[in-house]
Amino acid sequence: MRIIDLSLPLEDDSRWAPWWARTRVRHQNHQFGRMAIRLLFGLRPKHLKTGLGWANDTMELSTHGTTHVDAPWHYGPECEGRPARTIDEMPLDWFIGPGVVLDLRNLPRDSAASVRDLELALPAGYKLQPGDIALIMTGNDRLWGIREYYDAGPGVTAEGTRWLIDQGVRLMGIDAWGWDRPLDLQAREARVTGRNDVFWEAHYVGVEREYCHMERLANLDQLPPSGFTICAFPLKVLRGSAGPARVVALLDASLPLP
């Protein structure tokens, strides 16, 4: 079996991420650990086999600050007329299943995929089945590490999101910062038109229909179009709107890769 990592690293991004989306990771080395042991337990280096202590790290992040799974609660307080479920309430069988890649790298970066775009992006002869996990490949993971990552699309339209749900897809994902097209473009259009169905349009589908999506995936170009299994278990954040996840694809070692 071959395993392909579809997750971005969890790292300190304060040099390039916008202030409202930053993740902070602080590393404490073994010398720091030695000092902590001295303060906590009164032990000196001679009491430690290596003369050093433990390494540790501290993190400050949003549940949406790295590769993650959005829960229905993220989209609104209600879903299908009931209280929306948080990430710790979602069934685990939603997060493992057959994966299929929809290649949308040809779409303009300020656009959102329509139903027709999604249909054309399916692998030749492939028909979505209930329980499939649909992965939208935009190629935007190559922008990770620069500010442009947060301003690039494409995303998926509300209609496209509903269509995927209609095919039985409960979990879908994208290798861009967000499932919608760039938010600044949506906001500009909403201000100009005065409409309330433009901004965050695809996310708001989750108020009408229960589904989850993954954002900030990576390495989708390393996958075959189909024939693999996705594992995307989110952290069990109590009452969380999302859960960071280590998303991986499991492939038969004999499958040809791109």
Side-chain angles (χ1 to χ4, degrees):
M1 178 177 291
R2 183 184 292 118
I3 301 176
I4 296 182
D5 191 357
L6 305 181
S7 309
L8 291 173
L10 182 53
E11 60 179 313
D12 194 298
D13 57 15
S14 56
R15 290 182 299 101
W16 56 274
W19 65 267
W20 46 267
R22 288 178 181 165
T23 293
R24 292 176 174 84
V25 179
R26 298 291 181 265
H27 302 292
Q28 298 171 354
N29 63 20
H30 302 89
Q31 288 80 9
F32 187 97
R34 178 174 61 197
M35 179 181 66
I37 292 170
R38 175 78 179 271
L39 292 173
L40 290 170
F41 304 108
L43 297 181
R44 298 176 178 274
K46 68 179 182 180
H47 300 116
L48 308 175
K49 187 167 187 175
T50 64
L52 298 170
W54 50 62
N56 187 37
D57 313 280
T58 62
M59 298 185 296
E60 179 183 338
L61 74 157
S62 159
T63 51
H64 304 262
T66 185
T67 304
H68 65 277
V69 181
D70 282 342
W73 176 256
H74 180 51
Y75 317 132
E78 293 188 351
C79 174
E80 299 182 357
R82 302 184 300 274
R85 290 197 280 187
T86 53
I87 199 65
D88 54 307
E89 297 174 317
M90 298 308 297
L92 290 179
D93 61 1
W94 278 41
F95 305 117
I96 184 169
V100 56
V101 177
L102 285 71
D103 188 348
L104 292 169
R105 289 176 292 181
N106 62 313
L107 290 186
R109 289 172 56 185
D110 60 351
S111 66
S114 66
V115 172
R116 184 61 175 159
D117 292 326
L118 296 174
E119 290 175 331
L120 291 174
L122 280 171
Y126 192 92
K127 181 176 174 56
L128 287 170
Q129 302 294 320
D132 277 357
I133 297 175
L135 307 175
I136 306 300
M137 179 166 56
T138 70
N140 279 354
D141 56 326
R142 72 188 186 282
L143 300 175
W144 175 254
I146 60 175
R147 182 64 173 267
E148 189 180 1
Y149 178 74
Y150 291 90
D151 303 317
V156 180
T157 60
E159 290 76 15
T161 303
R162 292 188 190 97
W163 180 79
L164 288 171
I165 298 170
D166 288 341
Q167 311 314 303
V169 176
R170 301 177 300 195
L171 178 64
M172 51 200 79
I174 195 166
D175 61 356
W177 180 77
W179 183 253
D180 275 274
R181 64 189 171 105
L183 294 182
D184 59 336
L185 300 178
Q186 289 186 316
R188 190 179 311 142
E189 184 179 338
R191 288 193 301 268
V192 169
T193 63
R195 291 165 50 185
N196 69 357
D197 60 348
V198 173
F199 186 77
W200 224 41
E201 62 161 305
H203 280 72
Y204 279 134
V205 171
V207 177
E208 314 160 8
R209 308 280 299 278
E210 190 177 54
Y211 85 102
C212 292
H213 66 233
M214 300 175 283
E215 296 173 326
R216 302 195 185 194
L217 296 173
N219 302 324
L220 298 185
D221 59 345
Q222 296 183 24
L223 296 175
S226 61
F228 55 90
T229 298
I230 291 293
C231 297
F233 298 110
L235 289 180
K236 194 175 182 179
V237 181
L238 186 65
R239 297 188 297 275
S241 64
R246 184 69 178 268
V247 183
V248 300
L250 308 179
L251 291 75
D252 188 308
S254 64
L255 274 178
L257 297 180

